[in-house]
Structure formats: C-alpha cells, structure tokens
Amino acid sequence: MSVARNIYAEVPEQSDATAAAASFVEAVRYEDLPEEAIRIGTRCILDGLGLFVAGSDHEMVQILVEEALEIGGRPDAQLLNLPDQVPAPMAARVLGTSGHAHDWDDSQVSVDPAHIYGLLTHPTIPPLTASLIMAQKLGNVDGKQFMLAFLTGFEVECKISEWMLPQHYMSGMHSSGTVGTFGAYAAAAKLLGLKGDRLRWGFGIAASFAAGIRCNFGTMTKPLHVGRACENGITAALLASRGYTADPNALDGPWGFFAVQGGGVSPEKMNDGFGRTWTILEPGVSIKPYPCGVLTHPTIDLMLRLVTDADISPDAIESVKVHAGTNILKPIRYPIATNHLQAKFSLPAALAMIALARKAGKREFSDEFVQSEAMQAMQRRIRTELDQEIEAQGFDVMRSRIAIQLKDGSEVAGWADERYRGGPENPMSDEELEAKVRSCCEGLIDQSGQDRLIETAWNILKLSDVSDLATLLRNK
C-alpha cells in the first residue's frame, strides 16, 4: 500500500493533462509553428526518411513484411518500400519498426539534472510514420498539413516524456514504445481532424495501448516497440473517429497513465503546457551520427579522437578502460556483443569498431563485422568501470573518460566532450545529415533516387500531396 500511496501523491488529483493535450491538438494551426521549428522539423523528417530505407532490408523488418502480406486487407498505405498496400495500422507497424531498426533515430533532449537520458524518447519516428501513413490513407494531404501533424505529434510525445518522473524508465519501461504511442496518435488525430470527446477518447485508447519493456533491448523486439507505438497510435485515432469510447482523462488521476506507468509527474513542468515553448526548439533534439544508443555517442567520439590524434593502430592497443556512471553502464549492458543488435548496447563493441575501422556506421553494426574474429578479440581488450567521481557529478550530461594502454607501456587518455556531436549545442550540419541519409540508402536506393529523396524532403512544404513521398522510399 505504501508504494501506491507514493504514486498517487505524485499525480495531482485535479491535473488536466489530457484536456490540455486534446485542446492543443485540436487548436494548433500551421501559422502557430515557429519558423525554426519548421526548419528543424524538416531536418528530422529527412533523417527519418533515410532511416526508413536503412531498416527496410533488415531481417526483423522482412519478417513483419511477410506477416503483413499474408494478412492483407484494405489497401490504405504502401507497405514500406513495396508497391503492395495494406491497412494503415499494419503499414505503420512495419514502417515504424524499420525506422528504429538500427537505433539511429533522433533523441529528445532534457536539461533537467534529475531527468536521466534513458527516460527520453526517440521523438521523430512515431509521428512521422503516422503522418506518412495517414497522408496515404486520406489522400490530398499537402506539405503544410503534413508538417503540422508531424510537429503536433512530436510536441505531445516529448512533453509527456519530459513531465514523467524517472521511475518510468528505471522500472523497466521503454519510453519510445510507451510515449511514442501518444506521438503517433496525436499526428494521426490531427490529420483526421478529431475534436472534442472523440479526441480525448483517443488519448484514452492510446494510454491503454502504450507498452514496451527494456528487457528486450538488444533484440528484434526493441525496434518493434516503436513499430507497435506507430500501429497503436493510428489504431487509437481510427477507433476514436468511429466513436469508440475511453476515459476522457486517461493521462490523469490515480489510475491514469502518469500514475500507473510514469511513477507520477512534475507539476511544475506540466504548467509549461503544450506548444508554449516547443520542445523541438528548447531544449531541442539530437540527430544521431551513430546507429546505436545515444548514451554511447560521446564516448565513441572520444575514442575516435584519441586513436586518430595519436594514430593508434589496432595492434598497438594492449587494453582500454572506459570510466562512466550508472546512467550509461546500466542500459549499455553487453560486455561482449555477439551480434549487431547487442552491439548497439555495448561500449566495448562500439569502441572496438573505432579501434579497428575508425568508423561505427551501418556496415560496422552488422553481424558480419561484429562476429568477426578481429571484433571479438578487440572487445575482450576493452573494459568498463563504474567511476564514483563521475557518478557523484549527476546525470545531467553523459560523462565518461577513456584510458588506452598501449603495448609499448604508454597511455593515451581523455574525457568525452559533454557537448556531444549531434546534440543541440553541437548539431550535425545539413551536409553531414545528407551524408548520413546517403549512407542509410547505400545499396538500397541508387544515386538518383537518393537525390530525389533528399531534394523532396528539403522542399516538403511545397508538396501538394505528401503520399507521393512514400514512393521515394524505393527505387523506381
């Protein structure tokens, strides 16, 4: 009973987050979008489109494609990069999983020292998937309507994630699977034009659908969390549009989402509301340079700097020790990665890639590379260690340091840059982003197809029918 009382105490009895979210979704207009939010949103859309392509040939996605083709049904939307069309929720499951297949999609940012990084969601794929699928189902959705739906879902998803207490993640929930459901729902609801009770019922349906547990990190099911969030968000919107009922206050109260899954909320943050300060602007979003958990990125960059500046060859390395806090070491949990999925949550694997190839991209995060003799041997030279000094500094940033022992007896060491590459304070340039998209498409879409995809994404606001965008995910 004491646990229950503590949870209840964290959710104000009179909180009205559901009503506020519904009011925002219903009322927000394209004219309300800050110009800078549109600019960054366009970058996120371009990034997401590349990631849809990158995941399209992954085994986990092909299994879902086969399942979708066997089920069949109403031809609402294109099945990923195939000409076949399937019902909108099924198309969203496949597309959303593909977007998260490589764990390369962007990350929400927080400046709250108590808000550990793992709690933050991957904000783009759920609302982008829902917007692209619903644009095909509905037809005649132009670029501005599409951008509005995408940024609406992005904002709802990020605010709900930011307001929750860290217990949500620490107890084993995966935010991108849970909170991502609301991002997909809000985007779909915006395009469907849901209003009033039906809009609030949809939030209630989405709240009951929201799921995803961290034990599945390092397996095919981790990306499926995001695919299911996309599927469930669209399903919630379609059911609500038909009048399917749910609690109109499902985010709030002792039995609402925040209390049951979130461990409570921060009342002070809830006072910020939706769309007053757009999360995509403040505190911002991180577009990932590496296809793995963002918690590893500053350490990967540090390793790259150390081996490059000192020109360290793989054979010269005796051992590597990585010092970090529990905010990094607990979720990044594999001491030796035996496949590419585990490598996404393994510091020894990521740093071994840098030691061997001075790169950690799509090619390196493959079973062929991870399971190679050289990778397996290099991983065994790399150890992680809990650093109490780092732990004591808190979890407001991703702190780590590396010490490389060389076979000649010397040491090369350094601290990770807290202004990690890809984050709002050190963002990838547009040229770097385009290069990432091209690497996502390598071997899947030819040069001219890549050119069309990139150019169309940059000019998305000019599109008269965004459903055309789906056809660019495959070679013509």
Side-chain angles (χ1 to χ4, degrees):
M1 290 297 294
S2 61
V3 173
R5 282 196 298 271
N6 287 340
I7 289 176
Y8 295 163
E10 299 292 353
V11 181
E13 286 291 338
Q14 302 302 317
S15 66
D16 58 356
T18 318
S23 176
F24 170 71
V25 173
E26 183 172 340
V28 66
R29 304 169 303 162
Y30 180 81
E31 292 74 20
D32 299 323
L33 301 177
E35 184 176 341
E36 182 67 1
I38 295 172
R39 185 189 73 82
I40 298 175
T42 302
R43 283 169 50 91
C44 292
I45 290 170
L46 173 58
D47 186 48
L49 293 172
L51 295 171
F52 290 147
V53 177
S56 64
D57 68 340
H58 198 291
E59 180 187 5
M60 72 175 77
V61 176
Q62 289 306 307
I63 292 172
L64 296 180
V65 167
E66 292 170 7
E67 177 74 2
L69 288 172
E70 287 187 15
I71 292 174
R74 188 179 58 214
D76 288 337
Q78 180 179 304
L79 183 57
L80 188 57
N81 58 351
L82 300 176
D84 306 81
Q85 292 195 328
V86 294
M90 183 64 71
R93 179 199 295 181
V94 176
L95 189 64
T97 302
S98 188
H100 194 56
H102 290 283
D103 213 316
W104 214 348
D105 43 331
D106 56 19
S107 297
Q108 177 189 3
V109 173
S110 177
V111 295
D112 180 355
H115 208 76
I116 59 176
Y117 272 86
L119 178 60
L120 303 172
T121 184
H122 294 271
T124 283
I125 294 300
L128 179 58
T129 298
S131 298
L132 187 55
I133 296 298
M134 292 305 297
Q136 295 173 74
K137 177 176 173 58
L138 298 172
N140 298 315
V141 173
D142 66 30
K144 291 183 177 180
Q145 291 173 298
F146 181 86
M147 180 64 72
L148 175 60
F150 168 68
L151 289 178
T152 298
F154 192 110
E155 171 72 357
V156 168
E157 179 180 348
C158 287
K159 282 295 196 295
I160 291 175
S161 180
E162 174 71 26
W163 294 348
M164 286 193 300
L165 300 180
Q167 180 181 321
H168 180 75
Y169 181 79
M170 295 172 69
S171 65
M173 303 306 297
H174 178 205
S175 306
S176 297
T178 56
V179 181
T181 306
F182 297 108
Y185 167 68
K190 188 63 178 176
L191 287 177
L192 282 168
L194 296 187
K195 300 180 184 300
D197 287 342
R198 295 192 180 203
L199 183 53
R200 291 176 67 166
W201 291 338
F203 272 103
I205 300 169
S208 279
F209 283 167
I213 52 177
R214 286 169 55 201
C215 71
N216 280 310
F217 280 24
T219 74
M220 292 182 182
T221 299
K222 198 260 189 178
L224 182 59
H225 291 169
V226 176
R228 286 285 285 171
C230 300
E231 175 185 3
N232 289 337
I234 285 179
T235 300
L238 292 174
L239 290 176
S241 72
R242 294 178 181 271
Y244 209 95
T245 65
D247 190 314
N249 300 296
L251 294 175
D252 309 289
W255 302 115
F257 176 81
F258 283 135
V260 175
Q261 281 208 33
V265 291
S266 167
E268 295 79 14
K269 290 181 180 180
M270 288 179 68
N271 290 333
D272 291 342
F274 297 93
R276 295 174 188 164
T277 299
W278 289 77
T279 303
I280 199 169
L281 298 179
E282 182 63 42
V285 62
S286 168
I287 293 181
K288 286 184 172 184
Y290 303 113
C292 54
V294 71
L295 290 166
T296 66
H297 287 199
T299 315
I300 296 173
D301 277 340
L302 170 60
M303 184 70 173
L304 180 60
R305 174 164 55 85
L306 294 177
V307 299
T308 302
D309 289 352
D311 195 20
I312 301 172
S313 69
D315 292 339
I317 297 174
E318 178 69 31
S319 64
V320 179
K321 186 172 287 187
V322 185
H323 301 260
T326 56
N327 62 322
I328 294 176
L329 298 182
K330 281 190 174 181
I332 309 301
R333 62 195 179 104
Y334 291 96
I336 300 292
T338 60
N339 59 53
H340 73 283
L341 292 171
Q342 292 179 0
K344 296 178 182 300
F345 299 91
S346 170
L347 276 170
L351 301 191
M353 293 173 190
I354 297 298
L356 293 170
R358 298 192 183 179
K359 292 189 296 182
K362 185 180 177 183
R363 185 184 76 87
E364 290 71 38
F365 279 95
S366 66
D367 281 347
E368 180 181 8
F369 194 90
V370 171
Q371 294 170 356
S372 68
E373 184 177 337
M375 263 291 288
Q376 292 297 307
M378 182 61 73
Q379 286 188 77
R380 285 167 170 79
R381 300 186 215 172
I382 302 172
R383 295 287 184 271
T384 61
E385 183 174 297
L386 175 62
D387 190 307
Q388 293 297 341
E389 177 186 346
I390 292 175
E391 185 81 0
Q393 293 181 59
F395 300 154
D396 54 324
V397 297
M398 297 177 282
R399 298 182 176 89
S400 65
R401 60 187 178 91
I402 293 176
I404 304 174
Q405 297 293 330
L406 302 179
K407 291 180 179 178
D408 64 8
S410 62
E411 178 182 278
V412 177
W415 282 82
D417 188 347
E418 296 177 1
R419 295 175 62 256
Y420 63 98
R421 189 161 61 97
E425 295 179 338
N426 188 17
M428 297 173 66
S429 67
D430 288 349
E431 292 74 18
E432 289 173 324
L433 176 56
E434 288 187 11
K436 174 184 173 179
V437 172
R438 292 187 186 280
S439 70
C440 288
C441 297
E442 185 177 355
L444 298 169
I445 294 181
D446 61 24
Q447 180 74 36
S448 62
Q450 294 173 26
D451 292 344
R452 288 193 300 271
L453 181 65
I454 291 170
E455 181 181 2
T456 303
W458 284 131
N459 293 284
I460 194 165
L461 297 179
K462 298 178 182 178
L463 295 182
S464 58
D465 188 348
V466 177
S467 62
D468 294 341
L469 191 59
T471 64
L472 299 179
L473 300 180
R474 66 181 192 272
N475 274 328
K476 294 185 178 179

